[in-house]
């Protein structure tokens, strides 16, 4: 009897601890979203767009003299939970979306088998943040960052960040990789090589035999046994990405570009679309499970060419 | 012995007849390609682009004063056969591709099960023509046509044509459907209702709960037992599409449009991309079986926006 009560107590403690971890993660994703949006709005203000005609040969880009601001829209999920989309159409960021969501419910029977710990009941909880940035200036790389906490009968963190320059960008690439390596190394020396390779393998277009960009890090199913440490690493990935990418944007946002540069950028963006619609697990999973279309397809570039 | 020779003779006759049918089909697809390319080049010449600035607010559209001409490029398939891409970037047709191919070989084991008659040896032969048109003018609908002859241990025809207006186009839609109905009815009264429904079902984006366009006809596995009749129907589908679509293009190509119309067109084209990369069987099959990337992705619009 005593033992039974102790087990029940332990289970209750574990449930309480899980509830706290979920709440902490959800709060973090919101904090990171707020921080990133504020920083990107600062970048918009700091851009020197003194002669828009010289920088932008495309007469369709409007409002170039005004610094952009994020617009926010919330959505509810029918099965439980919801999210917030933050999107900005600015003068530096042609389109940038920073989405957070906390959803819960039950995976449909056909998906349960592919999600660890969901085989039996299908119950899940998922919180996360997802960012995709498509800057105007062809010399400012596009970028993507996503981190998430998933709970079924198991629980784990996943995420990563990667860079997609539209033009050769050796210095930016080196900086980005070095920043992510430092972030990983502070937690576990084994992380960076593993997560870098995983990223290169994931963001790859087999039909073109081309990587989507220059990589970064990608990790999933991270459950080291120390949930606090995994959460701390996940927080650092978000912060490190925000620092590194903000620096890369600032370093390049005032460079002059030609309509030929723009053309290369628009064609390269086509590869981004091809990857996201043909291969990206999150996109396909979201579309096929009734996710929020606007949030999922926020990743698609504002303007693209397939000449 | 006599009977055995007769059976062998019958089999040889059947092989000869199949060889003739393949050659006839391949020749037809080439004839149709030549006819359509010549007609579209005539349309380019006949367009009245007297004041390009009034029609085209987008300064990036170049060469608007010159009538377009098709450029041809051939490709070889590693496993056997090949094809020809014909693409035109003109003043009426912003991008139009008319591709023919004749390929043969063996399906890989994982595909055999999903192709009728390929289960055992995996041997196949496939000839076809595929057309996708993306006009400049938002009032000229986009369109797609494809017909094909497939031979495994079975053989059948498939194909269809469908229209994707970028702006409301009730008259064009009615004309297109009436033309296809007349084409079908001349062969079998049951064809049109069946193939129209099949088209509506096929060209549909479940994630947006939207049709890709306004439909047309779609048919597959057509093997009525009279291969000559099936081939004649397939020829008529190609000719009827060419007639009907040419008329629709000519009726609308000189209409004036605004940058707001253009914006709507570019956004609507995004749905075309989403359909082709997320759902189109031909696209996914081609990309995953090492098809010619340039020919397969010829369907993607020249310029697209996801605002």
């Amino acid at each position: 009897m005593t033992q039974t009560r102790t087990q029940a107590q332990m289970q209750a403690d574990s449930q309480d601890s899980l509830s706290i971890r979920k709440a902490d993660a959800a709060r973090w994703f919101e904090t990171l979203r707020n921080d990133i949006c504020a920083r990107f709005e600062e970048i918009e203000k700091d851009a020197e767009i003194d002669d828009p005609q010289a920088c932008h040969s495309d007469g369709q880009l409007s409002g170039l003299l005004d610094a952009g601001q994020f617009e926010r829209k919330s959505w509810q999920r029918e099965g439980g939970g919801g999210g917030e989309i933050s999107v900005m159409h600015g003068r530096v960021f042609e389109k940038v979306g920073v989405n957070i969501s906390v959803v819960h419910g039950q995976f449909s029977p056909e998906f349960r088998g592919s999600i660890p710990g969901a085989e039996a009941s299908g119950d899940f909880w998922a919180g996360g943040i997802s960012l995709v940035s498509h800057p105007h200036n062809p010399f400012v790389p596009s970028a993507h960052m996503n981190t998430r906490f998933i709970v079924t009968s198991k629980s784990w963190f996943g995420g990563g960040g990667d860079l997609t320059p539209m033009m050769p960008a050796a210095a930016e690439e080196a900086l980005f990789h070095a920043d992510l390596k430092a972030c990983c190394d502070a937690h576990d020396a084994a992380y960076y090589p593993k997560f870098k390779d995983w990223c290169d393998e994931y963001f790859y277009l087999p039909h073109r035999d081309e990587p989507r960009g220059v990589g970064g890090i990608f990790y999933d199913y991270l459950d080291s046994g120390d949930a606090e440490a995994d959460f701390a690493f996940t927080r650092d990935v978000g912060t490190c990405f925000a620092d590194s990418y903000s620096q890369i944007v600032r370093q390049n946002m005032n460079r002059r570009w030609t309509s030929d540069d723009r053309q290369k950028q628009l064609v390269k963006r086509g590869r981004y679309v091809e990857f996201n619609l043909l291969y990206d697990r999150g996109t396909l999973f979201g579309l096929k499970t009734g996710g929020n279309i606007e949030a999922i397809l926020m990743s698609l570039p504002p303007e693209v060419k397939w000449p």
Side-chain angles (χ1 to χ4, degrees), chain A:
Chain A
M1 189 70 176
T2 310
Q3 196 181 358
T4 306
R5 285 176 64 193
T6 307
Q7 279 184 349
Q9 188 61 43
M10 281 170 62
Q11 200 169 14
D13 285 352
S14 162
Q15 282 300 324
D16 284 353
S17 134
L18 197 58
S19 293
I20 292 168
R21 286 200 283 138
K22 287 176 184 173
D24 285 349
R27 204 159 29 238
W28 162 252
F29 296 129
E30 191 175 342
T31 301
L32 180 62
R33 187 273 313 271
N34 293 345
D35 175 53
I36 290 175
C37 289
R39 293 171 69 152
F40 285 5
E41 288 185 348
E42 280 306 306
I43 290 175
E44 281 286 316
K45 286 181 200 150
D46 293 344
E48 291 166 16
I49 310 262
D50 49 5
D51 180 359
Q53 291 310 315
C55 295
H56 301 282
S57 63
D58 182 346
Q60 295 189 346
L61 304 180
S62 60
L64 289 173
L65 293 174
D66 294 326
Q69 287 193 301
F70 276 95
E71 287 175 28
R72 198 161 286 176
K73 189 192 278 193
S74 65
W75 52 272
Q76 298 298 312
R77 183 174 167 277
E78 236 175 75
E84 277 182 339
I85 294 169
S86 295
V87 62
M88 177 164 70
H89 296 94
R91 56 187 185 181
V92 175
F93 297 95
E94 188 172 341
K95 178 181 173 187
V96 56
V98 189
N99 299 334
I100 56 171
S101 64
V102 173
V103 299
H104 52 86
Q106 284 201 311
F107 286 122
S108 64
E110 67 263 39
F111 279 108
R112 288 178 194 179
S114 58
I115 312 286
E119 299 85 355
S121 71
D123 289 344
F124 78 97
W125 181 98
I129 181 169
S130 178
L131 176 158
V132 176
S133 163
H134 295 289
H136 273 301
N137 191 319
F139 292 105
V140 183
S142 285
H144 160 252
M145 182 273 290
N146 160 246
T147 55
R148 54 194 176 269
F149 180 44
I150 313 284
V151 181
T152 58
S153 68
K154 304 181 176 184
S155 68
W156 67 91
F157 289 89
D162 63 285
L163 197 71
T164 306
M166 300 287 141
M167 313 289 280
E172 291 73 15
E173 186 182 339
L175 173 69
F176 191 71
H177 290 315
D179 284 345
L180 287 174
K181 181 174 188 307
C183 166
C184 289
D185 287 352
H187 291 267
D188 188 323
Y191 280 178
Y192 183 68
K194 184 176 170 193
F195 298 161
K196 181 183 192 303
D197 286 351
W198 201 342
C199 186
D200 288 340
E201 195 184 315
Y202 183 79
F203 292 106
Y204 182 75
L205 288 75
H207 66 286
R208 295 198 181 267
D209 195 15
E210 269 178 26
R212 185 176 81 171
V214 299
I217 59 169
F218 183 98
Y219 65 104
D220 207 356
Y221 314 115
L222 181 66
D223 179 15
S224 67
D226 180 348
E228 261 317 306
D230 298 343
F231 182 30
F233 171 66
T234 294
R235 289 197 303 273
D236 279 357
V237 168
T239 305
C240 167
F241 170 88
D243 287 342
S244 190
Y245 184 59
S246 295
Q247 189 180 342
I248 289 170
V249 172
R250 285 181 178 277
Q251 281 174 355
N252 291 281
M253 67 187 181
N254 295 321
R255 287 175 69 178
R256 296 297 168 106
W257 50 272
T258 65
S259 59
D260 191 50
D261 299 328
R262 174 76 178 170
Q263 180 72 14
K264 284 183 187 133
Q265 178 193 43
L266 297 181
V267 171
K268 175 79 175 163
R269 281 181 177 173
R271 309 295 204 258
Y272 214 91
V273 176
E274 291 173 24
F275 179 83
N276 282 25
L277 296 182
L278 286 169
Y279 304 112
D280 186 59
R281 295 190 309 187
T283 302
L284 300 178
F285 185 83
L287 293 178
K288 284 169 188 184
T289 53
N292 183 274
I293 301 303
E294 199 177 344
I296 296 165
L297 296 184
M298 182 61 69
S299 65
L300 299 180
E303 187 177 358
V304 184
K305 288 195 175 186
W306 282 274

